[in-house]
Each structure stands twice: as C-alpha cells, then as structure tokens.
Coordinates of all heavy atoms in Angstrom, one line a residue:
M1 N 19.8 19.0 -15.1 CA 19.6 18.5 -13.7 C 18.2 18.9 -13.2 O 17.8 20.0 -13.3 CB 20.7 19.1 -12.8 CG 22.1 18.6 -13.1 SD 22.7 17.5 -11.9 CE 23.3 18.7 -10.7
A2 N 17.6 17.9 -12.6 CA 16.2 18.2 -12.0 C 16.4 18.7 -10.6 O 15.4 18.9 -9.9 CB 15.4 16.9 -12.0
D3 N 17.6 18.8 -10.1 CA 17.8 19.3 -8.7 C 17.2 20.7 -8.5 O 17.2 21.6 -9.3 CB 19.3 19.4 -8.5 CG 19.9 18.2 -7.8 OD1 19.1 17.3 -7.5 OD2 21.1 18.2 -7.5
N4 N 16.6 20.8 -7.3 CA 16.0 22.1 -6.9 C 17.1 22.9 -6.4 O 17.7 22.6 -5.4 CB 14.9 21.9 -5.8 CG 14.3 23.2 -5.5 OD1 14.5 24.2 -6.1 ND2 13.3 23.1 -4.6
K5 N 17.5 24.0 -7.1 CA 18.7 24.8 -6.8 C 18.2 26.1 -6.1 O 19.0 27.1 -6.3 CB 19.5 25.1 -8.0 CG 20.3 23.8 -8.5 CD 21.4 23.4 -7.6 CE 22.1 22.2 -8.0 NZ 23.1 21.6 -7.1
T6 N 17.0 26.2 -5.6 CA 16.7 27.4 -5.0 C 16.5 27.2 -3.5 O 16.2 26.1 -3.0 CB 15.3 27.9 -5.5 OG1 14.3 26.9 -5.4 CG2 15.4 28.4 -7.0
C7 N 16.9 28.2 -2.7 CA 16.8 28.1 -1.3 C 15.4 27.9 -0.8 O 14.5 28.6 -1.1 CB 17.4 29.4 -0.7 SG 17.3 29.5 1.1
L8 N 15.2 27.0 0.2 CA 13.9 26.7 0.8 C 13.4 27.8 1.6 O 12.2 28.0 1.8 CB 14.0 25.3 1.7 CG 13.9 24.0 1.0 CD1 13.9 22.9 2.0 CD2 12.6 23.9 0.2
R9 N 14.4 28.5 2.2 CA 14.0 29.5 3.1 C 13.7 30.9 2.5 O 12.6 31.5 2.7 CB 15.0 29.8 4.2 CG 14.6 30.8 5.2 CD 15.3 30.6 6.5 NE 16.7 30.6 6.5 CZ 17.5 30.3 7.6 NH1 16.9 29.9 8.7 NH2 18.8 30.4 7.5
C10 N 14.6 31.4 1.6 CA 14.4 32.8 1.1 C 14.2 32.7 -0.5 O 13.9 33.7 -1.0 CB 15.6 33.6 1.4 SG 17.2 33.2 0.4
G11 N 14.4 31.6 -1.1 CA 14.1 31.5 -2.5 C 15.2 31.9 -3.5 O 15.0 31.9 -4.7
A12 N 16.4 32.2 -2.9 CA 17.5 32.7 -3.7 C 18.0 31.5 -4.5 O 17.8 30.4 -4.2 CB 18.6 33.2 -2.8
V13 N 18.5 31.7 -5.7 CA 19.0 30.6 -6.6 C 20.4 30.4 -6.3 O 21.3 31.4 -6.2 CB 18.8 31.1 -8.1 CG1 19.3 30.1 -8.9 CG2 17.4 31.4 -8.4
F14 N 20.7 29.2 -6.1 CA 22.2 28.8 -5.7 C 23.1 28.7 -7.0 O 22.7 28.3 -8.0 CB 22.1 27.4 -5.1 CG 21.4 27.4 -3.8 CD1 20.5 26.5 -3.5 CD2 21.6 28.4 -2.8 CE1 19.8 26.4 -2.3 CE2 21.0 28.4 -1.6 CZ 20.0 27.3 -1.4
E15 N 24.2 29.1 -6.8 CA 25.3 28.8 -7.8 C 25.8 27.4 -7.7 O 25.7 26.8 -6.6 CB 26.5 29.7 -7.6 CG 26.2 31.2 -8.0 CD 27.4 32.1 -7.7 OE1 28.6 31.6 -7.8 OE2 27.2 33.3 -7.4
E16 N 26.2 26.8 -8.8 CA 26.7 25.5 -8.8 C 27.8 25.3 -7.8 O 28.7 26.1 -7.6 CB 27.2 25.2 -10.2 CG 27.5 23.7 -10.4 CD 26.2 22.9 -10.5 OE1 25.2 23.4 -10.9 OE2 26.3 21.7 -9.9
G17 N 27.7 24.2 -7.0 CA 28.7 23.9 -6.0 C 28.6 24.6 -4.6 O 29.4 24.5 -3.8
S18 N 27.5 25.4 -4.5 CA 27.2 26.0 -3.2 C 26.9 25.0 -2.1 O 26.3 24.0 -2.4 CB 26.1 27.0 -3.3 OG 26.3 28.0 -4.3
H19 N 27.4 25.3 -0.9 CA 27.0 24.6 0.3 C 26.0 25.3 1.1 O 25.2 24.6 1.8 CB 28.2 24.2 1.1 CG 29.2 23.3 0.4 ND1 28.9 22.0 0.1 CD2 30.4 23.5 -0.2 CE1 29.9 21.4 -0.5 NE2 30.8 22.3 -0.7
Y20 N 26.0 26.6 1.1 CA 25.1 27.4 2.0 C 24.5 28.5 1.1 O 25.2 29.0 0.2 CB 25.7 27.9 3.2 CG 26.2 26.8 4.2 CD1 27.4 26.2 4.1 CD2 25.2 26.3 5.0 CE1 27.7 25.2 5.0 CE2 25.5 25.3 5.9 CZ 26.8 24.7 5.9 OH 27.2 23.8 6.7
C21 N 23.3 28.9 1.4 CA 22.7 30.1 0.7 C 23.4 31.3 1.1 O 23.8 31.5 2.3 CB 21.3 30.1 1.1 SG 20.5 31.7 0.5
T22 N 23.8 32.1 0.1 CA 24.6 33.2 0.3 C 23.8 34.5 0.9 O 24.3 35.5 1.3 CB 25.4 33.7 -0.9 OG1 24.5 33.9 -2.0 CG2 26.4 32.7 -1.3
R23 N 22.5 34.3 0.7 CA 21.6 35.4 1.2 C 21.2 35.1 2.6 O 21.1 36.1 3.4 CB 20.4 35.5 0.3 CG 19.5 36.7 0.6 CD 18.2 36.6 -0.1 NE 18.2 37.0 -1.4 CZ 17.1 36.9 -2.2 NH1 16.0 36.5 -1.7 NH2 17.1 37.2 -3.4
C24 N 20.9 33.9 3.0 CA 20.3 33.7 4.4 C 21.1 32.6 5.2 O 20.8 32.4 6.3 CB 18.8 33.3 4.3 SG 18.5 31.6 3.8
G25 N 22.1 32.0 4.6 CA 22.9 31.0 5.4 C 22.3 29.7 5.5 O 22.8 28.8 6.2
A26 N 21.2 29.4 4.9 CA 20.5 28.0 5.0 C 21.4 27.0 4.2 O 22.0 27.4 3.2 CB 19.1 28.1 4.5
P27 N 21.5 25.8 4.7 CA 22.2 24.7 4.0 C 21.5 24.4 2.7 O 20.3 24.4 2.5 CB 22.1 23.6 4.9 CG 21.0 23.8 5.8 CD 20.9 25.3 6.0
V28 N 22.3 24.2 1.7 CA 21.8 23.8 0.3 C 21.5 22.4 0.2 O 20.5 21.9 -0.4 CB 22.9 24.2 -0.8 CG1 22.4 23.7 -2.1 CG2 23.0 25.7 -0.7
V29 N 22.4 21.6 0.8 CA 22.2 20.1 0.7 C 21.6 19.5 1.9 O 22.1 19.9 3.0 CB 23.6 19.4 0.4 CG1 23.4 17.9 0.3 CG2 24.2 20.0 -0.9
N30 N 20.6 18.8 1.8 CA 19.9 18.2 2.9 C 20.6 16.9 3.3 O 20.4 15.8 2.7 CB 18.4 17.9 2.6 CG 17.6 17.7 3.9 OD1 18.0 18.0 5.0 ND2 16.5 17.1 3.7
R31 N 21.5 17.0 4.3 CA 22.4 15.9 4.7 C 22.0 15.3 6.0 O 21.5 16.1 6.8 CB 23.8 16.4 4.7 CG 24.9 15.4 4.5 CD 26.2 16.1 4.5 NE 26.7 16.6 3.3 CZ 27.4 15.9 2.4 NH1 27.7 14.7 2.7 NH2 27.7 16.5 1.3
C32 N 22.3 14.1 6.2 CA 22.1 13.5 7.6 C 23.1 14.1 8.6 O 24.2 14.4 8.3 CB 22.4 12.0 7.5 SG 22.3 11.2 9.1
T33 N 22.5 14.4 9.8 CA 23.4 15.1 10.8 C 24.1 14.1 11.7 O 24.8 14.5 12.7 CB 22.6 16.1 11.6 OG1 21.5 15.4 12.3 CG2 22.0 17.2 10.8
D34 N 23.9 12.8 11.5 CA 24.5 11.8 12.4 C 26.0 12.0 12.4 O 26.7 11.9 11.3 CB 24.2 10.4 11.9 CG 25.0 9.4 12.6 OD1 25.0 9.4 13.8 OD2 25.6 8.5 11.9
P35 N 26.6 12.3 13.6 CA 28.1 12.6 13.6 C 28.9 11.5 13.7 O 30.1 11.5 13.6 CB 28.1 13.4 14.9 CG 27.0 12.9 15.8 CD 25.9 12.4 14.9
G36 N 28.3 10.3 13.9 CA 29.1 9.1 14.0 C 29.7 9.0 15.4 O 29.6 9.9 16.2
D37 N 30.5 8.0 15.7 CA 31.3 8.0 17.0 C 32.5 7.2 16.8 O 32.9 6.9 15.6 CB 30.4 7.4 18.1 CG 29.8 6.1 17.7 OD1 30.6 5.2 17.2 OD2 28.7 5.8 18.1
L38 N 33.2 6.8 17.8 CA 34.5 6.1 17.7 C 34.3 4.8 16.9 O 35.3 4.3 16.3 CB 35.0 5.8 19.2 CG 35.5 7.1 19.8 CD1 36.0 6.7 21.2 CD2 36.7 7.7 19.1
L39 N 33.2 4.2 17.0 CA 33.0 2.9 16.4 C 32.3 3.0 15.0 O 32.5 2.1 14.2 CB 32.1 2.0 17.2 CG 32.7 1.6 18.6 CD1 31.7 0.8 19.4 CD2 33.9 0.8 18.4
N40 N 31.6 4.1 14.8 CA 30.8 4.2 13.5 C 31.2 5.5 12.8 O 31.3 6.6 13.4 CB 29.4 4.2 13.8 CG 28.9 3.0 14.5 OD1 29.0 1.9 14.0 ND2 28.5 3.0 15.7
D41 N 31.3 5.4 11.5 CA 31.6 6.6 10.6 C 30.2 7.4 10.6 O 29.2 6.9 10.8 CB 31.9 6.2 9.2 CG 33.3 5.6 9.1 OD1 34.1 6.0 10.0 OD2 33.5 4.8 8.2
P42 N 30.4 8.7 10.4 CA 29.2 9.5 10.2 C 28.4 9.0 9.1 O 28.9 8.4 8.1 CB 29.8 10.9 9.9 CG 31.2 10.9 10.4 CD 31.7 9.5 10.3
C43 N 27.1 9.1 9.2 CA 26.2 8.5 8.2 C 26.4 9.2 6.9 O 26.8 8.6 5.8 CB 24.7 8.6 8.6 SG 23.5 8.2 7.3
G44 N 26.3 10.6 6.9 CA 26.6 11.3 5.7 C 25.6 11.2 4.5 O 25.9 11.6 3.4
H45 N 24.5 10.5 4.7 CA 23.6 10.2 3.7 C 22.9 11.5 3.1 O 22.6 12.4 4.0 CB 22.5 9.3 4.2 CG 21.5 8.9 3.2 ND1 21.9 8.2 2.1 CD2 20.2 9.1 3.0 CE1 20.8 8.0 1.3 NE2 19.8 8.5 1.8
I46 N 22.9 11.7 1.8 CA 22.3 12.9 1.3 C 20.8 12.6 1.2 O 20.4 11.6 0.4 CB 22.9 13.2 -0.1 CG1 24.3 13.3 -0.1 CG2 22.2 14.4 -0.7 CD1 25.0 14.6 -0.1
C47 N 20.0 13.3 1.8 CA 18.6 13.1 1.9 C 17.8 14.0 0.9 O 18.3 14.9 0.3 CB 18.0 13.4 3.3 SG 19.0 12.5 4.6
G48 N 16.6 13.5 0.7 CA 15.7 14.3 -0.2 C 15.4 15.7 0.3 O 15.5 15.8 1.5
P49 N 15.1 16.6 -0.5 CA 14.9 18.0 -0.1 C 13.8 18.2 0.8 O 13.6 19.3 1.4 CB 14.6 18.8 -1.4 CG 14.3 17.7 -2.4 CD 15.0 16.5 -2.1
R50 N 12.9 17.2 1.0 CA 11.8 17.3 1.9 C 11.8 16.4 3.0 O 10.9 16.2 3.8 CB 10.4 17.1 1.2 CG 10.1 18.0 0.0 CD 9.7 19.4 0.5 NE 9.7 20.4 -0.6 CZ 9.7 21.7 -0.4 NH1 9.6 22.1 0.8 NH2 9.7 22.5 -1.4
D51 N 13.0 15.8 3.3 CA 13.1 14.7 4.3 C 13.5 15.4 5.6 O 14.4 16.2 5.6 CB 14.2 13.7 4.0 CG 13.8 12.9 2.8 OD1 12.6 12.9 2.5 OD2 14.6 12.1 2.3
A52 N 12.7 15.2 6.7 CA 13.1 15.7 8.0 C 14.1 14.8 8.8 O 14.8 15.2 9.6 CB 11.8 16.0 8.8
F53 N 14.0 13.5 8.4 CA 14.9 12.5 9.0 C 15.6 11.6 7.9 O 15.0 11.4 6.8 CB 14.1 11.6 9.9 CG 13.5 12.3 11.1 CD1 12.2 12.8 11.0 CD2 14.2 12.5 12.2 CE1 11.6 13.5 12.1 CE2 13.7 13.2 13.3 CZ 12.4 13.7 13.2
C54 N 16.8 11.2 8.2 CA 17.5 10.4 7.3 C 16.8 9.0 7.1 O 16.4 8.4 8.0 CB 18.9 10.1 7.9 SG 20.0 9.0 7.0
S55 N 16.8 8.6 5.8 CA 16.1 7.4 5.5 C 17.0 6.1 5.8 O 16.5 5.1 5.9 CB 15.7 7.3 4.0 OG 16.9 7.4 3.2
K56 N 18.2 6.4 6.1 CA 19.2 5.3 6.4 C 19.3 5.1 7.9 O 19.4 3.9 8.3 CB 20.6 5.7 5.8 CG 20.9 4.9 4.5 CD 22.3 5.4 4.0 CE 23.3 4.4 4.1 NZ 24.6 4.8 3.6
C57 N 19.4 6.2 8.7 CA 19.7 5.9 10.1 C 18.7 6.7 11.1 O 18.7 6.5 12.2 CB 21.1 6.4 10.4 SG 21.3 8.2 10.4
G58 N 17.8 7.5 10.5 CA 16.8 8.1 11.4 C 17.2 9.3 12.1 O 16.4 9.9 12.9
S59 N 18.5 9.8 11.9 CA 18.8 11.0 12.5 C 18.2 12.2 11.7 O 17.7 12.1 10.6 CB 20.4 11.2 12.3 OG 21.0 10.2 13.1
E60 N 18.2 13.4 12.4 CA 17.7 14.6 11.8 C 18.5 15.0 10.6 O 19.7 14.8 10.6 CB 17.6 15.7 12.8 CG 16.5 15.5 13.9 CD 16.5 16.7 14.8 OE1 17.6 17.3 15.1 OE2 15.4 17.1 15.3
T61 N 17.9 15.7 9.6 CA 18.6 16.2 8.5 C 19.0 17.6 8.8 O 18.5 18.3 9.7 CB 17.7 16.2 7.2 OG1 16.6 17.0 7.5 CG2 17.3 14.7 7.0
T62 N 19.9 18.1 8.0 CA 20.4 19.6 8.2 C 19.2 20.5 7.9 O 19.2 21.5 8.6 CB 21.6 19.9 7.2 OG1 21.2 19.4 5.9 CG2 22.9 19.2 7.6
F63 N 18.4 20.2 7.0 CA 17.2 21.0 6.8 C 16.3 21.1 8.0 O 15.8 22.2 8.3 CB 16.3 20.6 5.5 CG 17.0 21.0 4.2 CD1 18.3 21.4 4.2 CD2 16.2 20.9 3.1 CE1 18.8 21.8 2.9 CE2 16.8 21.2 1.9 CZ 18.1 21.6 1.8
K64 N 16.1 20.0 8.7 CA 15.3 20.0 9.9 C 16.0 20.8 11.0 O 15.4 21.6 11.7 CB 15.0 18.6 10.4 CG 14.0 18.7 11.6 CD 13.4 17.3 11.9 CE 12.4 17.5 12.9 NZ 12.9 17.9 14.3
K65 N 17.3 20.6 11.2 CA 18.1 21.3 12.2 C 18.1 22.7 12.0 O 18.1 23.5 12.9 CB 19.5 20.7 12.2 CG 19.6 19.4 12.9 CD 20.4 19.6 14.3 CE 20.2 18.4 15.2 NZ 21.2 17.4 15.3
A66 N 18.1 23.2 10.7 CA 18.1 24.6 10.4 C 16.7 25.2 10.4 O 16.6 26.4 10.1 CB 18.7 24.8 9.0
G67 N 15.7 24.4 10.7 CA 14.4 25.0 10.7 C 13.7 25.1 9.4 O 12.7 25.8 9.3
L68 N 14.3 24.5 8.3 CA 13.7 24.7 7.0 C 12.5 23.7 6.8 O 11.7 23.9 6.0 CB 14.8 24.4 6.0 CG 16.0 25.4 6.0 CD1 17.0 25.0 4.9 CD2 15.5 26.8 5.6
I69 N 12.6 22.6 7.6 CA 11.5 21.6 7.5 C 10.9 21.5 8.8 O 11.7 21.3 9.8 CB 12.0 20.2 7.0 CG1 12.5 20.3 5.6 CG2 11.0 19.2 7.1 CD1 13.1 19.0 5.0
H70 N 9.6 21.7 8.9 CA 9.0 21.6 10.3 C 8.3 20.2 10.4 O 7.4 19.9 9.6 CB 8.0 22.7 10.5 CG 8.7 24.0 10.5 ND1 9.5 24.5 11.6 CD2 8.8 25.0 9.5 CE1 10.0 25.7 11.3 NE2 9.6 26.0 10.1
S71 N 8.7 19.5 11.4 CA 8.2 18.2 11.6 C 7.6 18.2 13.1 O 8.3 18.7 14.0 CB 9.1 17.0 11.4 OG 8.6 15.9 12.0
P72 N 6.4 17.7 13.3 CA 5.9 17.7 14.7 C 6.6 16.6 15.5 O 6.5 16.5 16.8 CB 4.4 17.3 14.5 CG 4.4 16.6 13.2 CD 5.5 17.1 12.4
Y73 N 7.5 15.8 14.9 CA 8.1 14.7 15.6 C 9.5 15.1 15.9 O 10.2 15.9 15.2 CB 8.1 13.5 14.7 CG 6.8 13.1 14.3 CD1 6.3 13.4 13.0 CD2 5.9 12.6 15.2 CE1 5.0 13.0 12.6 CE2 4.6 12.3 14.8 CZ 4.1 12.5 13.5 OH 2.9 12.2 13.1
T74 N 10.1 14.5 17.0 CA 11.4 14.8 17.3 C 12.3 13.5 17.0 O 11.7 12.6 16.4 CB 11.6 15.0 18.9 OG1 10.9 13.9 19.5 CG2 11.0 16.3 19.3
E75 N 13.5 13.6 17.2 CA 14.4 12.5 16.8 C 13.9 11.2 17.3 O 13.4 11.1 18.4 CB 15.8 12.8 17.3 CG 16.8 11.9 16.6 CD 18.2 12.7 16.7 OE1 18.4 13.6 17.4 OE2 19.1 12.2 15.9
N76 N 14.1 10.1 16.5 CA 13.7 8.8 16.8 C 14.1 8.4 18.2 O 15.4 8.2 18.4 CB 14.2 7.9 15.8 CG 13.6 6.5 15.9 OD1 13.4 6.0 17.0 ND2 13.4 5.8 14.8
K77 N 13.3 8.3 19.2 CA 13.7 8.0 20.5 C 14.3 6.7 20.7 O 15.2 6.4 21.5 CB 12.5 8.2 21.5 CG 12.1 9.6 21.8 CD 13.2 10.4 22.5 CE 12.7 11.7 23.0 NZ 12.6 12.7 22.0
V78 N 13.7 5.7 19.9 CA 14.3 4.3 20.1 C 15.8 4.3 19.6 O 16.6 3.7 20.3 CB 13.5 3.3 19.2 CG1 14.1 1.9 19.3 CG2 12.1 3.3 19.7
L79 N 16.0 5.0 18.5 CA 17.4 5.1 18.0 C 18.3 5.7 19.0 O 19.4 5.3 19.3 CB 17.4 5.8 16.7 CG 18.8 5.9 16.0 CD1 19.0 4.6 15.1 CD2 18.8 7.2 15.1
Y80 N 17.8 6.8 19.7 CA 18.6 7.6 20.6 C 19.0 6.7 21.8 O 20.1 6.7 22.2 CB 17.7 8.8 21.1 CG 18.5 9.7 22.0 CD1 19.6 10.3 21.6 CD2 18.0 10.0 23.2 CE1 20.3 11.2 22.4 CE2 18.7 10.9 24.1 CZ 19.8 11.5 23.6 OH 20.5 12.3 24.4
K81 N 18.0 5.9 22.3 CA 18.4 5.0 23.3 C 19.4 4.0 23.0 O 20.4 3.7 23.7 CB 17.1 4.2 23.8 CG 17.2 3.4 25.0 CD 16.0 2.7 25.3 CE 16.2 1.7 26.5 NZ 17.3 0.7 26.2
N82 N 19.3 3.5 21.7 CA 20.4 2.6 21.2 C 21.7 3.2 21.2 O 22.7 2.6 21.4 CB 20.0 2.1 19.8 CG 18.8 1.1 19.9 OD1 18.6 0.5 20.9 ND2 18.1 0.9 18.8
H83 N 21.8 4.5 20.8 CA 23.0 5.2 20.8 C 23.6 5.2 22.2 O 24.8 5.1 22.4 CB 22.8 6.6 20.3 CG 23.0 6.8 18.8 ND1 24.1 6.4 18.2 CD2 22.1 7.2 17.8 CE1 23.9 6.6 16.9 NE2 22.8 7.1 16.7
L84 N 22.7 5.5 23.2 CA 23.2 5.5 24.6 C 23.8 4.2 25.0 O 24.8 4.1 25.6 CB 22.1 6.0 25.6 CG 21.7 7.5 25.4 CD1 20.6 7.7 26.5 CD2 22.8 8.4 25.7
D85 N 23.1 3.1 24.6 CA 23.5 1.8 24.9 C 24.9 1.5 24.2 O 25.8 0.9 24.8 CB 22.5 0.8 24.5 CG 21.2 0.8 25.4 OD1 21.4 1.4 26.4 OD2 20.2 0.2 25.0
D86 N 25.0 2.0 23.0 CA 26.3 1.8 22.3 C 27.5 2.5 23.1 O 28.6 2.0 22.9 CB 26.2 2.4 20.9 CG 25.3 1.6 20.1 OD1 25.0 0.5 20.4 OD2 24.9 2.1 18.9
M87 N 27.2 3.5 23.8 CA 28.3 4.2 24.5 C 28.7 3.6 25.8 O 29.6 4.0 26.4 CB 27.9 5.7 24.7 CG 27.7 6.5 23.5 SD 29.1 6.5 22.3 CE 30.2 7.6 23.2
S88 N 27.9 2.6 26.2 CA 28.2 2.0 27.5 C 29.5 1.3 27.6 O 30.1 1.1 28.6 CB 27.0 1.0 27.9 OG 27.1 -0.1 27.0
W89 N 30.1 1.0 26.4 CA 31.4 0.3 26.4 C 32.5 1.2 27.0 O 33.6 0.8 27.4 CB 31.7 -0.1 25.0 CG 31.8 1.0 24.0 CD1 30.9 1.5 23.2 CD2 33.0 1.7 23.7 NE1 31.3 2.5 22.4 CE2 32.6 2.7 22.7 CE3 34.4 1.7 24.2 CZ2 33.6 3.6 22.2 CZ3 35.3 2.6 23.6 CH2 34.9 3.6 22.7
L90 N 32.2 2.6 27.0 CA 33.2 3.5 27.6 C 33.4 3.2 29.1 O 34.4 3.6 29.6 CB 32.7 5.0 27.3 CG 33.0 5.5 25.9 CD1 32.4 6.8 25.7 CD2 34.5 5.6 25.7
L91 N 32.3 2.7 29.7 CA 32.5 2.5 31.2 C 33.0 1.1 31.4 O 33.1 0.7 32.6 CB 30.9 2.6 31.7 CG 30.2 3.9 31.5 CD1 28.9 3.8 32.0 CD2 31.1 5.0 32.3
H92 N 33.4 0.4 30.4 CA 34.0 -0.9 30.6 C 35.3 -0.8 31.4 O 36.1 0.2 31.3 CB 34.3 -1.5 29.2 CG 34.8 -2.9 29.2 ND1 36.0 -3.3 29.6 CD2 34.0 -4.0 29.1 CE1 36.1 -4.6 29.5 NE2 34.9 -5.1 29.2
P93 N 35.5 -1.7 32.3 CA 36.7 -1.6 33.2 C 38.0 -1.4 32.4 O 39.0 -0.7 32.9 CB 36.7 -3.0 34.0 CG 35.3 -3.4 33.9 CD 34.7 -2.8 32.6
F94 N 38.0 -1.9 31.3 CA 39.2 -1.8 30.5 C 39.6 -0.3 30.3 O 40.8 0.1 30.3 CB 39.1 -2.4 29.1 CG 40.3 -2.2 28.2 CD1 41.4 -3.1 28.3 CD2 40.3 -1.3 27.2 CE1 42.5 -2.9 27.5 CE2 41.4 -1.1 26.4 CZ 42.5 -1.9 26.6
F95 N 38.6 0.5 30.1 CA 38.9 2.0 29.9 C 39.0 2.8 31.2 O 39.7 3.6 31.2 CB 37.7 2.5 29.0 CG 37.7 2.1 27.6 CD1 36.8 1.0 27.3 CD2 38.6 2.5 26.7 CE1 36.9 0.5 26.0 CE2 38.6 2.0 25.4 CZ 37.8 1.0 25.1
T96 N 38.2 2.4 32.3 CA 38.1 3.2 33.4 C 39.4 3.0 34.3 O 39.7 3.8 35.2 CB 36.9 2.9 34.3 OG1 36.8 1.5 34.5 CG2 35.6 3.4 33.6
K97 N 40.1 1.8 34.1 CA 41.3 1.6 34.9 C 42.5 2.5 34.4 O 43.5 2.5 35.1 CB 41.7 0.1 34.8 CG 40.9 -0.7 35.8 CD 41.3 -2.2 35.7 CE 40.4 -3.0 36.6 NZ 40.4 -4.5 36.3
W98 N 42.4 3.0 33.2 CA 43.6 3.7 32.7 C 43.6 5.1 33.2 O 43.2 6.0 32.8 CB 43.6 3.6 31.2 CG 43.9 2.3 30.7 CD1 43.1 1.2 30.8 CD2 45.1 1.8 30.1 NE1 43.8 0.1 30.3 CE2 45.0 0.4 29.8 CE3 46.3 2.5 29.8 CZ2 46.1 -0.3 29.3 CZ3 47.4 1.8 29.2 CH2 47.2 0.4 29.0
Ligands
ZN1 ZN1 18.3 31.4 1.5
ZN2 ZN1 21.7 9.0 8.3

C-alpha cells in the first residue's frame, strides 16, 4: 500500500485500521466534515492527505479542523450561504403551524 501511515502531527506510525493517532489523538483518515442535514446524507468523502477542503462538496476536512493542515482560507462562503438557503424550508408555514 502506498498509503501514508504516519501521523502528520507527531510522526508516529499507525497500526492497520487505526482511526486516530494513539500518541497525539490526530485523525488518521482525512475525511470530509460535512455533517449532512435532514435532506442530505453526510458527504463522507475520503480526501487526500494534503487536502484542506473536500473535493466533492467544499467542506473542511478533518485534517484542517484538527489543525494538521493550515490553509489561509476559510470554508467556502458561497457554499455556506447555500446551506443557509437550504434550511429556509424549516420556516415554511407547514412546519411552523405544528
Ligand atoms: Zn500523532
Ligand atoms: Zn465533502
């Protein structure tokens, strides 16, 4: 396997099947942090070890959230706005009347 199995933060070598570094607690797999919502499943995309943002949906990766990857950019603001617009259906009279 060409997978990089060493911790980005402390350099410890991971055992097969690890999810977090046992020395420093850093995540092993760089995964998309998009939590999904009532209408959409979580993205769950496995990102490359150097990706700060998901290539599928633009959300931050676990490595970026954990501070393992430093990016001068914050989460995609256009996407964030779209997420807010997506939630506007909660204010629909159908829901507020109940
Ligand atoms: Zn570590
Ligand atoms: Zn994603």
Side-chain angles (χ1 to χ4, degrees):
M1 292 249 282
D3 262 1
N4 187 0
K5 291 288 183 190
T6 54
C7 177
L8 275 184
R9 181 152 62 185
C10 74
V13 179
F14 298 130
E15 287 177 31
E16 193 65 38
S18 298
H19 292 287
Y20 293 92
C21 174
T22 53
R23 189 195 280 176
C24 75
V28 171
V29 179
N30 196 19
R31 203 181 273 271
C32 175
T33 60
D34 171 50
D37 55 40
L38 290 175
L39 295 176
N40 300 295
D41 288 332
C43 173
H45 184 62
I46 309 259
C47 306
R50 300 286 165 193
D51 293 348
F53 295 96
C54 175
S55 62
K56 257 176 114 179
C57 73
S59 296
E60 287 181 328
T61 62
T62 47
F63 280 16
K64 180 168 190 297
K65 281 249 162 102
L68 298 175
I69 294 176
H70 296 286
S71 167
Y73 306 104
T74 51
E75 199 157 8
N76 187 329
K77 287 292 193 290
V78 176
L79 184 84
Y80 187 56
K81 186 182 175 300
N82 287 341
H83 270 302
L84 291 181
D85 288 346
D86 285 348
M87 295 306 283
S88 62
W89 63 269
L90 279 173
L91 301 173
H92 190 277
F94 178 82
F95 292 101
T96 53
K97 272 178 187 164
W98 289 71

